[in-house]
């Protein structure tokens, strides 16, 4: 009787062969009719025992693209050194192909350190890997690819999941003024981003008035350190993993142009500041030629009448909560632009 068997990662079809070992690829064995499925599993387990490692150093396949991912790749590359404990044996890189002569940071780093590079979409190489690592990759991995790794695929995600699931967690943390964020090491699951079980999670206090670029740099270093700690004790970490909470989940969609617009009549000063620090601007400068409210104002009029500090009536409400609001004139003879200023508590603006 010829049995062809493929193990999938869905709950209904996972085959646990030992405490931390899963059958993850198609195998074929000829079994007598008298043997049952238990006999078959024992044969499979025996055949795979020599191929699945129980401890470091690991054979790693790394998926990544940007500068955030480079920090984790850097520490994985360094950990191949026996003097550093040798957590990694070999490492292959999967990244985006070169488009219009532009290389992503991960590809540049891999070339500089003579690492083997595979273009995405991946053509599976004829070699064995123990675990995959995904850092800021942005592509959904199929179930059949995930199941090729006995220990699955780990993801370094810069947020405290389930908060900020998605491709832009750092941007949304700054945009929404989060006081605390962090990094999560989780296992990838197919079909959806950032929903897998958590192996490790650490909080990080967001520095005052930091930009998304600055916060991303801090979290990339923290994530790299957490990744190595996880790999050092991988079987134990997988055994003690926890599913994500069902409450508190928020999404962090990609940044788009519409997010950069400022609505002066609806956003507070604090919200505008968070937007500025989240998106960032070249040289820290913002320019404009004119502003349109109920009528058109020149840039000079906007500064002299709409923003100028001397024309503001101070309020008991903190400045970060002030709103710019169009003010309807009560007297036809009053044409000064100062009337466009209106504080959050409807305080009147004094004419000068």
């Amino acid at each position: 009787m010829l049995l062809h068997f493929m193990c999938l990662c869905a709950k209904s079809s996972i085959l646990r062969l030992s405490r931390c070992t899963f059958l993850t690829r198609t195998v074929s064995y000829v079994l007598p009719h008298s043997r049952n499925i238990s006999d078959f599993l024992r044969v499979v387990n025996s055949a795979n025992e020599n191929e699945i490692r129980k401890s470091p150093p690991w054979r790693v396949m790394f998926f990544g693209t940007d500068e955030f991912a480079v920090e984790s790749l850097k520490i994985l590359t360094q950990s191949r050194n026996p003097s550093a404990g040798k957590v990694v044996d070999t490492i292959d890189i999967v990244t985006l192909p070169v488009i219009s002569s532009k290389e992503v940071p991960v590809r540049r780093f891999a070339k500089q350190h003579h690492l083997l590079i595979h273009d995405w979409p991946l053509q599976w190489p004829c070699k064995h890997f123990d675990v995959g690592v995904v850092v800021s990759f942005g592509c959904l991995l199929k179930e059949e690819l995930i199941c090729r790794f006995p220990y699955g695929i780990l993801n370094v995600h810069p947020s405290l999941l389930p908060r900020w699931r998605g491709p832009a967690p750092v941007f949304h943390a700054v945009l929404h003024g989060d006081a605390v964020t962090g990094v999560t090491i989780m296992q990838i699951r197919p079909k959806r981003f950032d929903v897998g079980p958590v192996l490790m999670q650490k909080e990080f206090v967001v520095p005052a008035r930091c930009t998304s670029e600055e916060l991303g740099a801090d979290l990339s270093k923290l994530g790299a350190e957490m990744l190595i700690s996880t790999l050092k004790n991988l079987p134990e970490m997988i055994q003690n993993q926890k599913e994500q909470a069902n409450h508190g989940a928020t999404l962090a969609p990609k940044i788009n142009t519409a997010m950069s617009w400022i609505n002066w009549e609806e956003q507070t000063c604090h919200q505008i500041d968070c937007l500025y620090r989240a998106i960032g601007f070249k040289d820290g400068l913002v320019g404009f030629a004119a502003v349109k409210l109920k009528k058109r104002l020149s840039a000079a009029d906007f500064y002299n009448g709409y923003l100028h500090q001397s024309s503001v009536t101070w309020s008991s409400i903190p400045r970060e909560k002030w709103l710019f609001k169009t003010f309807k004139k009560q007297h036809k003879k009053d044409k000064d632009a100062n009337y466009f200023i209106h504080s959050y508590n409807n305080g009147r603006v004094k004419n000068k």
Side-chain angles (χ1 to χ4, degrees):
M1 172 181 170
L2 181 63
L3 293 181
H4 297 274
F5 194 87
M6 173 171 279
C7 172
L8 301 177
C9 286
K11 288 184 178 180
S12 60
S13 55
I14 290 181
L15 292 180
R16 185 178 294 273
L17 301 180
S18 63
R19 194 172 191 181
C20 303
T21 303
F22 295 89
L23 174 64
T24 59
R25 62 183 180 281
T26 305
V27 292
S28 299
Y29 293 99
V30 178
L31 294 177
H33 287 283
S34 59
R35 290 197 179 182
N36 57 28
I37 191 65
S38 297
D39 297 324
F40 173 72
L41 292 178
R42 279 195 292 273
V43 172
V44 172
N45 195 20
S46 176
N48 285 274
E49 186 135 347
N50 294 329
E51 298 176 4
I52 298 175
R53 298 185 179 183
K54 304 295 191 298
S55 62
W58 307 113
R59 295 161 294 187
V60 177
M61 178 173 278
F62 182 89
F63 301 76
T65 56
D66 61 14
E67 290 291 352
F68 185 91
V70 168
E71 199 66 36
S72 290
L73 179 55
K74 187 185 302 182
I75 200 168
L76 288 175
T77 303
Q78 295 169 351
S79 68
R80 295 179 302 171
N81 190 338
S83 63
K86 197 168 184 179
V87 179
V88 174
D89 184 4
T90 61
I91 181 168
D92 284 24
I93 310 303
V94 180
T95 190
L96 300 180
V98 177
I99 300 176
S100 301
S101 71
K102 292 183 179 179
E103 291 183 332
V104 295
V106 163
R107 180 179 287 272
R108 287 198 299 270
F109 181 92
K111 280 187 174 181
Q112 292 169 0
H113 293 79
H114 310 291
L115 302 175
L116 184 59
I117 301 173
H118 306 276
D119 285 342
W120 181 263
L122 176 66
Q123 297 295 323
W124 187 259
C126 296
K127 56 194 304 187
H128 298 294
F129 295 92
D130 301 301
V131 63
V133 174
V134 171
V135 187
S136 193
F137 189 53
C139 300
L140 196 63
L141 306 185
K142 293 184 178 180
E143 189 173 32
E144 61 188 58
L145 174 59
I146 298 172
C147 290
R148 286 181 177 271
F149 299 90
Y151 291 96
I153 300 179
L154 307 181
N155 177 220
V156 180
H157 186 82
S159 80
L160 297 175
L161 291 171
R163 184 165 177 80
W164 302 134
R165 290 172 174 167
V170 177
F171 165 81
H172 285 277
V174 175
L175 179 65
H176 291 81
D178 288 4
V180 177
T181 184
V183 175
T184 302
I185 306 294
M186 54 161 283
Q187 274 199 323
I188 292 289
R189 288 292 179 263
K191 299 180 181 178
R192 291 178 61 194
F193 285 108
D194 308 326
V195 297
V198 173
L199 278 68
M200 182 184 291
Q201 197 168 66
K202 286 187 179 181
E203 292 186 352
F204 183 84
V205 177
V206 179
R209 301 209 72 252
C210 74
T211 64
S212 57
E213 184 177 354
E214 293 167 343
L215 180 59
D218 289 336
L219 295 180
S220 67
K221 294 175 183 177
L222 175 61
E225 294 170 359
M226 292 170 60
L227 175 61
I228 288 298
S229 296
T230 301
L231 290 174
K232 286 179 178 178
N233 304 285
L234 185 57
E236 181 182 353
M237 300 294 285
I238 291 176
Q239 182 182 0
N240 297 322
Q241 66 187 10
K242 296 181 180 179
E243 295 296 328
Q244 294 184 33
N246 295 323
H247 60 277
T250 56
L251 299 180
K254 289 182 179 180
I255 306 169
N256 57 58
T257 304
M259 293 178 179
S260 66
W261 287 97
I262 295 176
N263 189 325
W264 297 100
E265 296 188 353
E266 293 183 6
Q267 291 174 290
T268 65
C269 295
H270 176 66
Q271 290 170 333
I272 294 172
D273 178 59
C274 287
L275 176 61
Y276 164 74
R277 291 184 288 106
I279 293 179
F281 297 92
K282 186 177 181 180
D283 301 324
L285 299 176
V286 181
F288 54 88
V291 178
K292 187 174 181 181
L293 298 168
K294 294 291 183 180
K295 69 173 186 178
R296 185 178 178 84
L297 293 177
S298 69
D301 289 338
F302 182 77
Y303 176 77
N304 293 327
Y306 199 82
L307 288 177
H308 201 280
Q309 294 290 331
S310 63
S311 65
V312 176
T313 297
W314 301 106
S315 166
S316 59
I317 294 179
R319 293 179 63 184
E320 63 270 14
K321 294 185 179 180
W322 285 3
L323 289 170
F324 291 106
K325 196 168 184 179
T326 302
F327 185 76
K328 185 178 290 187
K329 303 176 196 176
Q330 295 181 355
H331 305 286
K332 291 183 179 180
K333 63 180 181 179
D334 294 324
K335 297 182 180 180
D336 196 291
N338 289 331
Y339 276 96
F340 283 99
I341 304 175
H342 201 270
S343 64
Y344 186 79
N345 64 343
N346 295 324
R348 286 294 300 276
V349 178
K350 293 181 180 179
N351 264 326
K352 294 188 177 181

